[in-house]
Amino acid sequence: MRTSKQPKIVIIGGGTGLPVLLRGLKQYPIDITAIVTVADDGGSSGRLRDELDIPPPGDIRNVLAALSDVEPLIEELFQHRFQNGNGLSGHSLGNLILAAMTSITGDFVHAIREMSKVLNVRGKVLPAANRSVVLHAEMEDGTIVSGESKIPYSGKKIKKVFLTPEHIEPLPEAIEEIRSADLIVIGPGSLYTSILPNLLVPKIGEEVCKAKAKKIYICNVMTQAGETLNYTASDHVKALYNHMKCPFIDTILVNAENISDEIQKRYAKELAEPVKYDIENLKQLGLSIIRDNIISYEDNVIRHDTKKVAALLVSLLPC
């Protein structure tokens, strides 16, 4: 049960990084709010978005599953992805349920609230906006690439990203949560396609800048081809600042653990490499730095260690 006495963490992101982090945080007696991107336009989410004119449910589904407190089989059912079937292949059951609940209730946010009850979710899950948004990237050569799923495959360097339509409203509830937070967590996740689509929603980024809460950025462990090729830790922060026009981060969490040559070689095939920790540049940005062994391996894929990172974040909360 959430109480007003519990310290409040607001986490902003999407993709695979956010659910990993939430699984660790839900073990603590804290008030969790996840603000999740609605810019996804690929896979099952993209198909449902286009066919039913609803916000993409995939990132929301993963966050609901991560924060759920149900039997493992129920979570597995919610996350089940159909491999066969005309029209069903590629869809996850959870996406279809969220789409159906949106149709029944007439509102995506209402659908999320109802599914949160069904899944006994420990926390609050809010979309960054109650409608689909389209993410665009202006490349350094001036060309524009439209669509979250297309941006990483353009083969060009990103100058900036922006959203359409022009008039996007955040949920009033999301604004309230940001204002009352004790700690605001940015990331982990794809910088341009999972994190910035939230902060670029009008008023959300501004409220994060103005919020009194301490703000921590969880830096990605590996660079990402098509988004952050050759980026250092400070390059990630500068990209956030360039978009938000305010230096809003207090602390950055970076990985200190060496990554084996074998794993690095595998990632090198995807043009990914460990993010370089450039301490002097981070200090010049005025950041407090937490550097620790914060990674785990899942099927030879690098993930943030959910228990370790959660414990670090909880240690930053006011007593």
Side-chain angles (χ1 to χ4, degrees):
M1 175 70 83
R2 292 156 57 110
T3 74
S4 58
K5 294 180 181 177
Q6 291 178 335
K8 179 178 291 189
I9 292 184
V10 171
I11 307 161
I12 299 173
T16 57
L18 184 57
V20 169
L21 177 56
L22 292 170
R23 288 185 186 280
L25 280 173
K26 75 176 181 182
Q27 306 303 326
Y28 291 88
I30 54 177
D31 184 335
I32 302 169
T33 296
I35 297 177
V36 188
T37 177
V38 285
D40 187 10
D41 63 355
S44 169
S45 283
R47 286 161 61 192
L48 292 171
R49 166 185 173 141
D50 293 340
E51 292 170 16
L52 302 178
D53 192 26
I54 63 171
D59 283 331
I60 294 284
R61 181 197 84 242
N62 286 327
V63 169
L64 288 171
L67 286 172
S68 68
D69 186 16
V70 290
E71 293 295 327
L73 185 60
I74 300 297
E75 183 185 337
E76 189 178 343
L77 181 68
F78 189 65
Q79 291 287 61
H80 176 73
R81 192 173 296 275
F82 294 96
Q83 303 299 326
N84 303 296
N86 186 21
L88 272 180
S89 180
H91 279 305
S92 100
L93 182 60
N95 284 358
L96 296 175
I97 291 172
L98 279 166
M101 192 70 82
T102 302
S103 178
I104 291 166
T105 63
D107 181 73
F108 187 57
V109 174
H110 194 174
I112 295 168
R113 288 197 190 108
E114 293 305 314
M115 282 311 304
S116 295
K117 294 175 189 174
V118 171
L119 294 169
N120 196 22
V121 165
R122 295 192 184 187
K124 190 178 289 183
V125 180
L126 302 173
N130 197 14
R131 62 176 299 172
S132 297
V133 300
V134 179
L135 183 69
H136 310 268
E138 180 185 340
M139 302 300 173
E140 288 202 332
D141 66 358
T143 57
I144 304 293
V145 177
S146 297
E148 179 266 347
S149 62
K150 299 180 182 68
I151 290 168
Y153 300 101
S154 68
K156 300 176 180 179
K157 190 171 182 182
I158 298 170
K159 180 181 178 183
K160 68 173 184 177
V161 291
F162 60 97
L163 301 175
T164 59
E166 189 175 339
H167 300 292
I168 306 166
E169 283 295 321
L171 299 178
E173 198 173 358
I175 299 302
E176 290 170 16
E177 294 293 327
I178 291 168
R179 288 176 177 170
S180 59
D182 295 302
L183 180 68
I184 296 173
V185 181
I186 311 294
S190 299
L191 178 63
Y192 289 103
T193 55
S194 290
I195 295 173
L196 277 165
N198 293 291
L199 296 171
L200 291 173
V201 171
K203 299 178 189 171
I204 285 189
E206 290 91 326
E207 290 295 337
V208 169
C209 284
K210 292 190 293 186
K212 295 176 182 176
K214 182 180 290 186
K215 296 141 200 162
I216 181 167
Y217 173 57
I218 302 177
C219 190
N220 290 340
V221 177
M222 304 296 289
T223 61
Q224 187 175 354
E227 290 204 38
T228 55
L229 191 66
N230 301 321
Y231 272 39
T232 64
S234 70
D235 288 332
H236 284 74
V237 175
K238 288 173 185 174
L240 290 168
Y241 286 4
N242 288 340
H243 282 78
M244 301 314 302
K245 309 303 181 191
C246 73
F248 62 95
I249 297 167
D250 301 300
T251 303
I252 185 169
L253 174 59
V254 293
N255 175 52
E257 190 171 338
N258 289 326
I259 297 166
S260 71
D261 290 341
E262 181 185 347
I263 296 290
Q264 287 199 47
K265 284 177 184 176
R266 201 180 66 73
Y267 270 88
K269 294 175 183 175
E270 304 169 9
L271 299 180
E273 62 183 13
V275 173
K276 293 181 178 65
Y277 167 57
D278 50 342
I279 184 169
E280 290 307 318
N281 289 334
L282 292 172
K283 285 181 176 177
Q284 285 178 16
L285 290 169
L287 298 175
S288 297
I289 303 162
I290 301 175
R291 189 166 185 245
D292 209 333
N293 296 347
I294 54 169
I295 59 174
S296 63
Y297 296 94
E298 186 179 312
D299 298 326
N300 283 330
V301 176
I302 297 171
R303 300 279 186 231
H304 282 85
D305 184 322
T306 182
K307 291 182 180 178
K308 189 72 172 284
V309 175
L312 283 168
L313 293 176
V314 170
S315 74
L316 297 175
L317 287 165
C319 298

